[in-house]
Amino acid sequence: MANNSFRGSKHGRHGEANHEGEFSCSLQELRSLMELRGAESLTKIQECYGDVNGLCARLRTSPVEGLDGNSEDIDRRKQEFGQNLIPPKKPKTFVQLVWEALQDVTLIILEVAAIISLGLSFYSPPDAGRQNCGSAAGGVEEESEAEAGWIEGAAILLSVVCVVLVTAFNDWSKEKQFRGLQSRIEQEQKFTVVRGGQVIQIQVSELVVGDIAQVKYGDLLPTDGVLIQSNDLKIDESSLTGESDHVKKSLDRDPMLLSGTHVMEGSGKMLVTAVGVNSQTGIILMLLGASEEEKKKEERKKKEKMDKKRKSKDGASVEMTPLNEDGEPEKKTSLPKKEKSVLQGKLTKMTVQIGKAGLFMSALTVIILIVRFLIDTFWIQAVPWNTECIPIYVQFLVKFFIIGVTVLVVAVPEGLPLAVTISLAYSVKKMMKDNNLVRHLDACETMGNATAICSDKTGTLTMNRMTVVQTYIAGRYYKKVPEPDLIPAKILELLITGIGVNCAYTTKIMPPEKEGGLARQVGNKTECALLGLSIKLHRDYQTIRNEIPEEKLFKVYTFNSVRKSMSTVLKMHDGSYRMYSKGASEILLRKCCKILTASGEAKAFKPRDRDDLVKKVIEPMASEGLRTICLAYRDFPAADGEPEWDEEAHILTNLTCIAVVGIEDPVRPEVPEAIRKCQRAGITVRMVTGDNINTARAIATKCGILQPGDDFLCMEGKEFNRRIHNELGEIEQERIDKIWPKLRVLARSSPTDKHTLVKGIIDSTVLEQRQVVAVTGDGTNDGPALKKADVGFAMGIAGTDVAKEASDIILTDDNFTSIVKAVMWGRNVYDSISKFLQFQLTVNVVAVIVAFTGACITQDSPLKAVQMLWVNLIMDTFASLALATEPPTEALLLRNPYGRNKPLISRTMMKNILGHAIYQLTIIFTLLFIGEKIFDIDSGRNAPLHAPPSEHYTIVFNTFVLMQIFNELNARKIHGERNVFEGIFKNPIFCSIVLGTLVTQLVSSVPTSWLRFLKTAGHGTQQDEISEDELEEMKDLDEIDHAEMELKRGQVLWCRGLNRIQTQNFPPPLDPKLFSFIFQIRVVNAFRDSVSPYEGLETPESRSSIHNFMSHPEFRIEDSEPQIPLIDEVEGEEEAPTKRNSIDASRSGLIPPNSAGLPPCPGSPLHSLETSL
């Protein structure tokens, strides 16, 4: 017998419900009990406990009253049987994320280059060798510069560290955000339990063993339990067993309910017997976790004993594979999503192409540099091979390698993944405010490409606040709810009792939260409308429920999508049965053979009467957009014996119609405008509803889905199925293709129809573009359609756990306008990435060409590795943040979706990129090749190895960076708009980043000559520190070799200090010998006359450049200081001069004729050299 099967008395066990003392049932006992199924479990319960009530007694709980909710008791249960929590998988530590970020190939190449560069900077080859290694090596650095040689390697390493930390921090915060999101979803999950005789909702994590939980259609069971009472309960256990057939649960067949399974039909009560890690789902998850740990250990052992245990380990890994797949649901679930995402596919493809191009360019650069060096050194200069020169040649190779890596670094847009992540994470955060809880990041961007939305009607397009507005009762059609005295008492009694018992007991009308507000509707909204009707008729449904508690219901046929009706059977005092039914009017009226009249008596209800009723009552109601519900009853006399309750078709006939009611669910006021926006944005909105076709058409017209005069299709599920199936009953894609482009409303549809429609649209090849479909759903049966769709929207309020589980985005307010916001954000993500791409690719194209051309023509990249990393790190990271956080505008909804085949870089973007690249290259090459003439400075080209930075290249770099900063403004628009400043102040992040980058760049390149306070550091004490004796000593030396001159420690420090200040503060690269020479002259002359007649004066002609000093004809060199031999004389006049600005000192003097005993006057270049900082 499939009756309600509740066997507990109301008071029988309450005496021992919360009896102090230990539980006479162990955790292990319960675990082994829950592993049994079907008849085995029944036998075990009968043998060990007598029945379920015996088990309740052992667990100190009451099947009717539940636990008393005492916190001590709850805590004790948590200690004894565990909490209902499954410990989450350990998140990756920050160190692990850093290690992962370091695996990037580009970064590894950079690290290697930096370490080699760093190592070589500390190695200084012997001087003698350098002079014979070709002119390129001739001007190798001074001692002071050698000490600064490590800076480049260290700066590259520092940049790598920054990139890694930014990436790792980003991943860490993303993971943290996801965990927060997950815990938030978990906190929102509540379950209905009975505690202290009250039905309350508690958080799923608060459930304990011994709780009495109410289960109903659509629930995802959070714990294991044993059934106490059931109404037609069917469970989908496929998540545990893989069997798709629904399992019928009842006390006399299979009372075991398992966590992680879905309630597909019916309702009931269960005793919670296992929670958290002890429940069936928990046990499996813990096994998976353990298997992962084992696998890691196995891998470690494998590394140690690779050869010995290869076979056995292979076997182990094969066994573990499926477990591992299940154990890492993130990976598993994200795979199909990644295939789906339009943007991801395009970006991956483009990144690979850019990477290949960059690799090619960098390899070419290195080859050209090496070949050029070899030809120049060994052929043109005809330098013989010398083993002593190998370290110097290696230094050159490293320099070329670093330039090559620079080109690669510039070419690879590593800011791109960061931009995508920032953009998505920012959008997801902001979408929360727009009532979109995004569960899968990619869904956010996919939504921007949506071309079709299949929406539910109830609650999404309408307010989901049902009210009965029209009735047909006792033979009369009322346009408003009638007064109770107009209805015969007998009919009123039947109506109120039918509504009270034949609506789920979890559905209630609650008092309003705020005074003067509307009463709160809890539970099924259609049932709430009927309960509202009983209140309007001045009757209290709760009184009837108190008289007939849920336990006394004999049999319940719960509502499902096949029946489209619900029936409840009561056993009367005389042994007869009465069944109350409610359901869709056109379905239930066909099963009625009588109808109650004005006198309160039943009269025959023939097919002709039914047609009349449909025409005169149901169609007028439906045309006004009302949902029509028929209420009926049937008596089963005791004399006929007990009916065969399982024969549903036989039971649900010969009904007597009580009334037909028209329920209105008003359209949300903001929906018509939202649908208009969608249509303007090139998105087709279709309504898929279980309501009848007239109601659906009326609502669709009110919403604007159907326009008067359109030739779009509205059809019912039956008609749709008939048209899409062939003679063999198979669905044909061609048939669907004939229907879906014009279909706008699908009424009386089952969840299968919804899934078929979604699949048909996605698989269709009728249109050029593959359709991107979004679907809304709230019911358990919507799961397949939500999963199949590109983006599934579940209802946060009305949605079941199953629907939420299958969805990508949860609408926290169940409102269609939130979907439009999701479209806007999705398009904004796509546009943000495009903006960043436009910016990034301009930087890349220009930088690659400049680095490549510069390296090939001048043997050195005008943009150094460190500078490029600065551009890459600061510009790209911050630009991605600036451009990825642009807020969306309504203008995004004025264009059609991009579609899957449209290239990521549009023609307009390409035009912008190339136009800017040409403009920037023109300026940079002009500065590079004739900049020294324009600004009257020394050329920075053809510098020897380790030459100090030049003013020339500093100008090139600054110009390059500033052009990028201003290009960031241009990148804000990608659709050819003229005004790039429009709405710029709406994005404070953008403004602050642009200003910040600008200020940082300006500060980092302030000339040291502006920092006058540093002068004193080098010049303040020179007269005190060198005595005249020492100077005489210096004069008497026959040969001065600056590199090997033995001075006292203080002098060395002073020399180095001054020398370093001078070398570092002459931006143009100067020959170290020239410095050495000038320095010596300055030392000798500084003390000839302590007071200069020109002291303190500075003429406008004063220059801080040797370039200037060489170009003044009045400074002729006369050999007036014979006691100071010139370095070049010592080393041999026949040697070729060094390349950059070197002076053949044997043919030119440095002291003006009148300067025998005077220091250089303030206006002279020597003074200028001395004071230049």
Side-chain angles (χ1 to χ4, degrees):
M1 142 181 155
N3 66 359
N4 150 334
S5 44
F6 178 73
R7 298 202 186 121
S9 74
K10 194 161 184 174
H11 309 288
R13 304 282 169 185
H14 191 49
E16 45 186 325
N18 288 292
H19 187 267
E20 285 300 315
E22 289 310 306
F23 308 104
S24 45
C25 204
S26 71
L27 175 63
Q28 205 50 50
E29 209 177 312
L30 289 173
R31 271 183 73 155
S32 57
L33 171 66
M34 292 317 295
E35 282 165 12
L36 304 173
R37 305 279 179 276
E40 282 182 351
S41 60
L42 275 172
T43 315
K44 174 88 173 173
I45 290 172
Q46 281 161 3
E47 281 175 9
C48 299
Y49 314 107
D51 61 1
V52 183
N53 296 326
L55 181 57
C56 287
R58 293 271 196 104
L59 289 171
R60 313 264 179 243
T61 184
S62 155
V64 178
E65 302 281 320
L67 299 176
D68 64 1
N70 174 358
S71 58
E72 283 176 22
D73 179 44
I74 302 289
D75 290 341
R76 200 165 72 249
R77 286 171 190 275
K78 282 182 181 174
Q79 279 174 357
E80 185 81 21
F81 301 108
Q83 276 185 286
N84 194 26
L85 290 171
I86 290 169
K89 211 170 140 193
K90 254 175 84 181
K92 286 179 180 166
T93 61
F94 190 71
V95 176
Q96 283 173 311
L97 292 168
V98 166
W99 177 246
E100 278 178 18
L102 277 169
Q103 308 303 309
D104 187 64
V105 180
T106 320
L107 292 180
I108 291 170
I109 293 171
L110 275 173
E111 287 155 24
V112 171
I115 290 164
I116 293 173
S117 166
L118 208 55
L120 287 168
S121 71
F122 294 117
Y123 170 75
S124 130
D127 258 1
R130 294 188 179 191
Q131 309 309 324
N132 311 317
C133 300
S135 62
V140 183
E141 82 272 20
E142 277 229 9
E143 204 172 329
S144 60
E145 283 160 32
E147 286 175 13
W150 58 270
I151 289 175
E152 185 163 42
I156 294 177
L157 279 180
L158 185 68
S159 308
V160 168
V161 167
C162 290
V163 170
V164 165
L165 288 178
V166 166
T167 313
F169 178 74
N170 202 45
D171 287 346
W172 177 77
S173 59
K174 194 168 76 178
E175 190 151 312
K176 192 177 163 202
Q177 205 176 14
F178 267 131
R179 285 183 184 272
L181 201 70
Q182 203 57 41
S183 67
R184 196 192 146 156
I185 291 172
E186 281 166 14
Q187 278 167 13
E188 282 177 358
Q189 281 183 327
K190 295 197 168 172
F191 213 72
T192 312
V193 294
V194 179
R195 280 194 182 170
Q198 294 291 314
V199 176
I200 56 165
Q201 284 206 323
I202 60 168
Q203 281 186 11
V204 164
S205 56
E206 289 300 310
L207 285 165
V208 290
V209 170
D211 258 324
I212 304 298
Q214 291 194 342
V215 295
K216 61 181 188 307
Y217 162 75
D219 282 344
L220 175 66
L221 297 183
T223 63
D224 291 354
V226 177
L227 204 58
I228 295 177
Q229 171 240 325
S230 74
N231 297 322
D232 198 20
L233 194 63
K234 285 185 184 167
I235 306 281
D236 173 11
E237 292 187 349
S238 59
S239 58
L240 284 179
T241 62
E243 296 294 326
S244 57
D245 293 340
H246 297 170
V247 183
K248 192 162 187 179
K249 298 283 180 181
S250 64
L251 267 172
D252 47 9
R253 284 171 61 181
D254 181 1
M256 302 315 237
L257 300 178
L258 307 172
S259 59
T261 59
H262 298 134
V263 181
M264 302 310 277
E265 271 184 45
S267 61
K269 275 186 186 176
M270 72 169 185
L271 165 70
V272 175
T273 52
V275 294
V277 293
N278 300 307
S279 66
Q280 292 303 299
T281 307
I283 291 168
I284 292 170
L285 285 172
M286 294 314 286
L287 279 173
L288 293 174
S291 77
E292 272 180 35
E293 289 300 314
E294 278 171 34
K295 197 162 185 238
K296 282 177 190 166
K297 284 177 192 167
E298 294 260 323
E299 278 170 8
R300 283 188 211 125
K301 283 182 193 171
K302 207 172 177 180
K303 282 175 188 169
E304 290 165 21
K305 303 177 181 180
M306 191 79 174
D307 301 327
K308 288 182 190 175
K309 296 196 174 182
R310 181 170 286 169
K311 286 178 189 174
S312 64
K313 286 288 172 290
D314 282 355
S317 65
V318 168
E319 279 173 37
M320 295 296 182
T321 305
L323 287 177
N324 191 32
E325 278 175 13
D326 289 343
E328 295 183 33
E330 300 100 306
K331 285 186 189 170
K332 198 173 177 186
T333 50
S334 64
L335 278 175
K337 294 280 163 208
K338 277 189 179 161
E339 286 168 14
K340 248 191 246 181
S341 172
V342 181
L343 184 65
Q344 290 285 353
K346 290 181 182 178
L347 280 176
T348 310
K349 196 174 165 190
M350 201 190 70
T351 311
V352 168
Q353 289 168 344
I354 292 174
K356 284 178 181 171
L359 206 59
F360 172 74
M361 289 295 278
S362 64
L364 195 63
T365 310
V366 174
I367 291 164
I368 290 173
L369 284 169
I370 292 171
V371 169
R372 193 184 147 164
F373 173 74
L374 294 174
I375 291 171
D376 185 47
T377 308
F378 297 111
W379 187 22
I380 297 173
Q381 295 179 41
V383 174
W385 176 260
N386 186 349
T387 49
E388 288 178 7
C389 294
I390 290 174
I392 291 170
Y393 296 151
V394 169
Q395 272 183 313
F396 269 105
L397 275 177
V398 171
K399 179 183 169 183
F400 298 154
F401 180 61
I402 287 176
I403 292 169
V405 172
T406 306
V407 174
L408 181 64
V409 169
V410 173
V412 176
E414 61 267 50
L416 199 53
L418 195 64
V420 176
T421 312
I422 289 173
S423 187
L424 286 172
Y426 173 77
S427 300
V428 166
K429 218 167 190 161
K430 290 286 186 186
M431 282 169 82
M432 267 305 300
K433 291 180 183 169
D434 286 338
N435 303 310
N436 285 285
L437 178 69
V438 181
R439 295 182 71 241
H440 300 122
L441 266 186
D442 296 342
C444 163
E445 169 267 316
T446 307
M447 199 54 214
N449 287 293
T451 53
I453 298 174
C454 295
S455 172
D456 271 355
K457 175 179 75 71
T458 310
T460 313
L461 300 173
T462 58
M463 290 173 81
N464 200 14
R465 198 183 164 76
M466 304 282 203
T467 41
V468 173
V469 287
Q470 298 184 10
T471 57
Y472 175 83
I473 191 163
R476 283 188 66 187
Y477 180 16
Y478 296 96
K479 289 279 187 180
K480 283 183 179 170
V481 176
E483 287 300 313
D485 50 4
L486 295 175
I487 303 168
K490 185 185 171 189
I491 296 180
L492 192 58
E493 190 57 37
L494 280 167
L495 181 68
I496 301 301
T497 310
I499 289 172
V501 298
N502 194 31
C503 287
Y505 277 42
T506 48
T507 303
K508 300 185 185 97
I509 302 277
M510 306 285 278
E513 283 175 338
K514 293 174 188 167
E515 272 189 59
L518 292 165
R520 281 184 300 142
Q521 296 187 337
V522 180
N524 183 298
K525 295 294 187 275
T526 307
E527 293 182 343
C528 284
L530 294 172
L531 295 177
L533 173 66
S534 79
I535 291 169
K536 278 183 187 173
L537 293 170
H538 310 308
R539 294 288 190 278
D540 183 13
Y541 66 87
Q542 197 54 52
T543 317
I544 290 161
R545 288 185 172 182
N546 294 342
E547 283 171 20
I548 310 168
E550 199 172 358
E551 297 82 52
K552 286 194 179 173
L553 303 180
F554 181 78
K555 170 82 182 161
V556 179
Y557 296 96
T558 51
F559 181 89
N560 68 20
S561 54
V562 180
R563 290 188 193 118
K564 292 213 184 293
S565 68
M566 174 179 176
S567 304
T568 301
V569 182
L570 298 178
K571 190 167 187 178
M572 312 303 277
H573 300 296
D574 58 359
S576 65
Y577 299 93
R578 175 170 285 174
M579 179 176 77
Y580 290 101
S581 295
K582 68 170 192 295
S585 56
E586 61 269 41
I587 291 172
L588 221 53
L589 280 173
R590 286 197 208 107
K591 298 178 179 175
C592 289
C593 64
K594 290 179 187 171
I595 189 164
L596 294 175
T597 60
S599 61
E601 297 305 315
K603 69 160 191 174
F605 187 58
K606 300 191 172 87
R608 192 177 65 248
D609 300 331
R610 187 174 66 234
D611 294 342
D612 277 353
L613 189 63
V614 168
K615 275 202 186 91
K616 288 179 183 167
V617 176
I618 290 169
E619 282 180 6
M621 282 183 181
S623 65
E624 291 178 39
L626 305 185
R627 172 184 287 189
T628 54
I629 300 285
C630 176
L631 299 156
Y633 78 102
R634 178 182 176 184
D635 283 327
F636 298 91
D640 295 352
E642 190 167 325
E644 204 42 71
W645 296 113
D646 283 346
E647 289 182 17
E648 229 177 281
H650 177 65
I651 298 286
L652 216 63
T653 51
N654 297 328
L655 303 177
T656 304
C657 174
I658 304 169
V660 174
V661 295
I663 297 177
E664 181 181 52
D665 185 7
V667 171
R668 288 178 184 266
E670 63 275 22
V671 162
E673 177 57 24
I675 287 178
R676 237 189 335 274
K677 282 180 186 170
C678 282
Q679 289 163 344
R680 203 167 54 218
I683 302 168
T684 309
V685 182
R686 293 181 176 83
M687 183 200 286
V688 183
T689 179
D691 229 330
N692 73 51
I693 194 155
N694 293 328
T695 309
R697 191 184 278 121
I699 298 282
T701 310
K702 281 182 188 171
C703 292
I705 293 173
L706 291 174
Q707 304 290 345
D710 286 344
D711 63 339
F712 291 131
L713 290 174
C714 291
M715 62 169 65
E716 289 194 337
K718 267 188 191 168
E719 174 68 8
F720 175 70
N721 276 307
R722 192 181 60 73
R723 288 209 202 173
I724 62 171
H725 287 84
N726 61 15
E727 296 76 26
L728 301 170
E730 294 164 347
I731 296 172
E732 281 186 7
Q733 184 62 43
E734 292 163 22
R735 289 173 178 247
I736 296 179
D737 289 347
K738 285 178 187 166
I739 298 171
W740 76 259
K742 285 199 166 186
L743 183 70
R744 289 294 175 273
V745 176
L746 187 61
R748 283 278 172 249
S749 67
S750 67
T752 321
D753 297 338
K754 197 178 201 174
H755 180 259
T756 309
L757 177 66
V758 171
K759 187 176 182 300
I761 297 176
I762 289 175
D763 296 346
S764 174
T765 50
V766 177
L767 301 180
E768 210 176 302
Q769 295 282 4
R770 130 91 154 99
Q771 295 283 297
V772 177
V773 184
V775 167
T776 70
D778 54 7
T780 301
N781 295 342
D782 289 328
L786 288 169
K787 266 219 170 344
K788 179 66 190 167
D790 292 296
V791 182
F793 285 92
M795 301 299 143
I797 302 167
T800 59
D801 294 342
V802 184
K804 288 177 188 174
E805 199 62 34
S807 68
D808 301 293
I809 298 176
I810 296 171
L811 295 178
T812 53
D813 64 344
D814 290 13
N815 193 339
F816 187 83
T817 45
S818 303
I819 300 176
V820 181
K821 297 254 177 67
V823 171
M824 218 155 86
W825 276 107
R827 290 189 176 189
N828 193 54
V829 167
Y830 197 101
D831 274 12
S832 295
I833 305 303
S834 298
K835 286 171 188 176
F836 178 70
L837 265 178
Q838 179 174 304
F839 171 74
Q840 171 92 60
L841 291 180
T842 311
V843 180
N844 288 12
V845 168
V846 174
V848 167
I849 294 174
V850 167
F852 176 73
T853 318
C856 296
I857 294 173
T858 67
Q859 232 185 20
D860 187 10
S861 170
L863 302 170
K864 301 282 184 289
V866 180
Q867 294 174 334
M868 279 330 303
L869 282 165
W870 157 258
V871 170
N872 254 19
L873 183 79
I874 304 300
M875 302 290 290
D876 294 0
T877 306
F878 286 139
S880 65
L881 187 61
L883 292 168
T885 52
E886 285 276 308
T889 60
E890 290 284 334
L892 289 166
L893 297 173
L894 298 177
R895 60 169 176 78
N896 285 346
Y898 284 132
R900 287 181 173 262
N901 306 327
K902 190 174 187 292
L904 200 54
I905 298 164
S906 65
R907 281 187 183 170
T908 313
M909 285 169 66
M910 188 60 84
K911 184 181 73 183
N912 292 350
I913 291 168
L914 293 176
H916 267 281
I918 291 165
Y919 147 72
Q920 291 186 14
L921 286 169
T922 310
I923 289 183
I924 286 174
F925 283 140
T926 305
L927 288 175
L928 190 58
F929 294 111
I930 55 170
E932 72 272 23
K933 292 174 188 163
I934 298 171
F935 295 106
D936 196 23
I937 51 173
D938 294 324
S939 169
R941 297 191 302 281
N942 298 320
L945 197 65
H946 295 302
S950 65
E951 255 180 12
H952 183 193
Y953 276 11
T954 305
I955 289 173
V956 172
F957 174 59
N958 264 321
T959 310
F960 176 70
V961 171
L962 290 173
M963 283 197 291
Q964 302 321 323
I965 291 175
F966 287 104
N967 188 29
E968 209 167 317
L969 290 168
N970 297 321
R972 289 185 70 244
K973 303 293 175 190
I974 52 170
H975 297 297
E977 298 93 331
R978 288 277 174 268
N979 181 9
V980 293
F981 297 102
E982 187 190 342
I984 193 165
F985 295 115
K986 287 181 185 167
N987 187 0
I989 298 176
F990 183 91
C991 298
S992 49
I993 283 174
V994 169
L995 283 173
T997 318
L998 190 61
V999 169
T1000 315
Q1001 178 62 30
L1002 293 177
V1003 168
S1004 69
S1005 51
V1006 167
T1008 22
S1009 57
W1010 294 5
L1011 308 172
R1012 297 200 171 272
F1013 60 87
L1014 289 177
K1015 276 188 190 178
T1016 52
H1019 290 250
T1021 55
Q1022 51 193 33
Q1023 292 195 4
D1024 305 334
E1025 286 201 6
I1026 298 186
S1027 65
E1028 288 199 17
D1029 295 341
E1030 285 163 354
L1031 281 167
E1032 288 303 318
E1033 226 177 279
M1034 283 166 67
K1035 286 182 202 169
D1036 293 341
L1037 287 171
D1038 291 323
E1039 176 176 298
I1040 296 174
D1041 185 339
H1042 179 62
E1044 292 176 29
M1045 187 168 63
E1046 300 217 356
L1047 292 170
K1048 290 174 189 169
R1049 190 165 177 273
Q1051 287 171 300
V1052 172
L1053 286 173
W1054 185 81
C1055 296
R1056 280 190 188 168
L1058 180 61
N1059 206 4
R1060 188 170 304 156
I1061 287 169
Q1062 287 177 325
T1063 53
Q1064 287 179 358
N1065 292 292
F1066 276 119
L1070 298 170
D1071 192 327
K1073 294 172 191 170
L1074 184 58
F1075 266 121
S1076 164
F1077 178 53
I1078 293 162
F1079 169 68
Q1080 290 160 29
I1081 292 171
R1082 179 76 194 94
V1083 168
V1084 177
N1085 288 344
F1087 300 101
R1088 289 282 172 90
D1089 199 314
S1090 56
V1091 181
S1092 163
Y1094 302 104
E1095 195 159 46
L1097 296 174
E1098 179 114 327
T1099 64
E1101 289 84 8
S1102 169
R1103 298 276 196 276
S1104 62
S1105 165
I1106 299 230
H1107 171 75
N1108 207 38
F1109 157 61
M1110 290 163 62
S1111 62
H1112 277 349
E1114 67 267 27
F1115 291 104
R1116 296 186 313 285
I1117 299 284
E1118 292 181 6
D1119 206 355
S1120 55
E1121 294 290 330
Q1123 74 269 45
I1124 302 178
L1126 298 172
I1127 293 167
D1128 280 28
E1129 284 176 355
V1130 176
E1131 289 178 354
E1133 285 179 27
E1134 69 277 23
E1135 189 182 321
T1138 50
K1139 277 194 181 179
R1140 191 183 299 188
N1141 302 326
S1142 60
I1143 302 166
D1144 188 352
S1146 59
R1147 293 185 218 106
S1148 56
L1150 279 168
I1151 297 130
N1154 60 346
S1155 65
L1158 289 175
C1161 67
S1164 76
L1166 284 178
H1167 185 270
S1168 174
L1169 270 170
E1170 165 203 334
T1171 56
S1172 128
L1173 285 168

